[in-house]
Structure formats: C-alpha cells, structure tokens
Amino acid sequence: DFILEGKGLTQCYKTDTGRVLTACRAVDVTLRKGETLGIVGESGCGKSTLLRILTQLERPAEGRLFFNGQEITFLKGESLRRNRCHIQMVFQDPAASFFPRMKVGEAITEPLRNFRKLSRQELLDKQAELLELVGLPAEYADRYPHSMSGGQRQRLAIARALALDPDILICDEATSALDVSVQRQIIELLADIQRQRGLSIIFVCHDLALVQSIAHRVMIMYLGGVVEALPGDQVWNQA
Ligand code: ADP
Ligand code: ADP
C-alpha cells in the first residue's frame, strides 16, 4: 500500500582522484498515501542523491523503485516523462526556479501548458484555483515573482508544483531560507493541502525540530545510509 517505495537504493560516484564514493548505501524508503516522511541529515549524507533517484533524474546503481506497486526502476522515454509528473519538487530558493520575466500566472500554468492540452479558459480556471489553494490573492497572477516576499514566492512554487496534480510533493529545504514565522505558515499550508488532497509529502531539511513538526515519520541519514526511521514523535527521545 505504498505510493512510493525504494528498496536497497545505492548510488556511487567516481571522485576526481578516481576513488569510488558511495553517496547512497542500500537505502530502503517507503511513503504511504497522505503521509509526510521527513528526511534529516547533515550536508553530504546523500539526501540530494536519494531525491534524484526518487524523482528519476538518476537511475540507482543498485536497488529497485516502485510507484503504486509498479516497478519504475527502468522506465525510459515517454513513460519516464509521464511518471515524473506524479512527483513534483519545491526547492529552497523559489526565485531561482522562475524566469525573471515570467508573471506569477504564467509560472503557475507553465507545467499545464507543457503537459496538458487545456483551453485558455481552463488554464485561467486552474490558475485561479491554484492561487486560492496556496492563499495568494487572485490579482497576484499579473505580478512578477521578484516583487513578492520570500514566503509568497514559496507559495507560488507550491502552486506551480501542484499544477499537474501530483501524488507526491518533495520539499527540499523548502522553508530553510524563510523567517521562522513564515516557515510556520508554509508548514501549515502544506499540512492543509495534504488534508484536502491526500497528497504524500517528503520533507527534506537539516532542522530536525522543524521536520518533526510536520512529518509522520522521520528518516535520519548519515554517510549515505539510513540510521533511523521512526514515527515523528519518537525521534526526539532517540536522537
Ligand atoms: P507499521 O509500518 O509498523 O505498520 P504504522 O502503519 O503504524 O507502522 O505507521 C508508522 C507511523 O507512521 C505511525 O506513527 C503512523 O502514525 C504513521 N503513519 C502511517 N501511515 C500514515 C498516514 N497515511 N498518514 C499519517 N501518518 C501515517
Ligand atoms: P546531501 O544532499 O545530503 O548534502 P549529496 O547527495 O549531495 O548529500 O552528496 C552525498 C555525497 O555524494 C557527497 O560526498 C557528495 O560530494 C557526493 N556526490 C553527490 N553527487 C555527486 C556527483 N554527481 N559526483 C560525484 N560526487 C557526488
């Protein structure tokens, strides 16, 4: 009953000196529908590598990946492209994700224009729905992202990531650049959206306390491996 499951995911890279570095070591990871999985670990522990495998930007050297029970480890071409739409990401610096000359409305509907054939009216309806979902005023559609606050830009990034109605949202340090009060607002927004849509979330962050406040389960990584995978409320006692 997992929406996403990785078994024994392993990834190796050759370093400049020709040494083989195991960035991800036999990682088992599971995600249920409607669940938030937190992933915590120091810089260099392999979080980004694991995310690149889960989002199928890289194929693991070893291990297998399943989406809704179907093996997706070896997908290629059009089926890979289609499957990637089910998993969307939000990054730390949303400003970097947008072309500076793209208005908020265009940024939100771009994935729909690329992947769906919708009429102009359907695009506008979807745009309005997504703005409302993330708590941005409708008239922001005509603004430029650089005129907005960091928190508002992160709301925009979430709206854009949800445009294709993905099953899984991966937040990679998505609140790390924000003030604490704004962090809270974004976390509450994510929890609201999750309740409304049954979205599954992977929340990657270096701040264990913050991860605990949103995640149902927390996975702690160290040197490419998983050292703990526990229900969120038990991590404090163990850490
Ligand atoms: P097990 O894998 O041992 O059967 P559980 O199913 O009880 O464990 O889930 C482990 C933890 O994950 C529990 O703390 C549970 O609250 C949480 N959890 C599991 N599935 C969900 C879900 N869909 N939504 C929210 N929390 C979940
Ligand atoms: P994190 O996201 O937790 O900071 P990464 O997954 O980025 O960790 O990195 C894990 C290890 O793998 C690090 O030692 C990093 O230098 C190495 N690494 C990551 N990507 C590559 C790559 N493309 N080539 C070589 N080494 C890499």
Side-chain angles (χ1 to χ4, degrees):
D1 67 325
F2 299 120
I3 184 108
L4 191 66
E5 180 173 22
K7 290 184 185 171
L9 299 174
T10 297
Q11 190 68 305
C12 307
Y13 301 112
K14 265 241 172 67
T15 65
D16 297 338
T17 54
R19 205 164 56 86
V20 174
L21 184 150
T22 306
C24 220
R25 192 186 305 270
V27 170
D28 292 329
V29 56
T30 57
L31 181 67
R32 293 179 177 87
K33 189 169 163 50
E35 181 188 29
T36 298
L37 172 69
I39 301 181
V40 193
E42 286 168 26
S43 174
C45 73
K47 302 185 295 294
S48 307
T49 302
L50 178 61
L51 294 189
R52 284 196 300 274
I53 294 173
L54 296 180
T55 52
Q56 296 185 282
L57 293 172
E58 282 179 22
R59 184 169 294 157
E62 282 172 49
R64 301 170 73 187
L65 195 59
F66 301 83
F67 178 79
N68 259 332
Q70 302 262 46
E71 177 147 25
I72 57 169
T73 322
F74 303 105
L75 289 187
K76 286 191 295 207
E78 186 54 30
S79 46
L80 175 62
R81 206 172 102 97
R82 225 179 307 116
N83 204 75
R84 278 200 193 126
C85 294
H86 299 304
I87 307 177
Q88 295 291 319
M89 290 193 75
V90 177
F91 299 97
Q92 173 161 3
D93 181 11
S97 326
F98 305 118
F99 295 108
R101 276 177 235 289
M102 201 179 267
K103 287 184 179 171
V104 168
E106 296 167 56
I108 290 179
T109 53
E110 190 187 42
L112 292 164
R113 282 180 275 123
N114 288 341
F115 285 93
R116 305 263 195 277
K117 290 191 172 63
L118 298 183
S119 69
R120 186 169 160 67
Q121 189 56 50
E122 286 170 322
L123 281 176
L124 287 173
D125 290 347
K126 198 80 186 149
Q127 176 182 301
E129 179 204 317
L130 287 162
L131 282 171
E132 193 185 341
L133 180 70
V134 299
L136 288 175
E139 61 270 22
Y140 274 43
D142 290 322
R143 286 211 184 188
Y144 289 98
H146 61 73
S147 74
M148 292 165 32
S149 71
Q152 288 169 338
R153 278 204 299 264
Q154 206 50 283
R155 286 174 191 270
L156 163 59
I158 292 168
R160 179 183 158 101
L162 295 176
L164 294 173
D165 207 10
D167 296 287
I168 300 168
L169 186 67
I170 298 186
C171 303
D172 188 3
E173 300 282 354
T175 61
S176 302
L178 303 173
D179 293 342
V180 174
S181 65
V182 182
Q183 269 181 355
R184 280 255 61 90
Q185 292 167 12
I186 297 294
I187 295 238
E188 276 161 28
L189 173 69
L190 288 169
D192 273 351
I193 293 172
Q194 178 168 59
R195 278 190 291 273
Q196 282 180 44
R197 306 205 153 191
L199 188 72
S200 304
I201 297 177
I202 297 181
F203 192 87
V204 180
C205 184
H206 61 280
D207 181 345
L208 177 59
L210 192 71
V211 170
Q212 261 206 309
S213 71
I214 186 173
H216 301 111
R217 282 189 298 133
V218 179
M219 195 170 109
I220 301 174
M221 291 186 72
Y222 182 70
L223 295 178
V226 178
V227 285
E228 292 279 12
L230 291 165
D233 55 357
Q234 288 182 23
V235 175
W236 234 200
N237 308 329
Q238 304 261 339

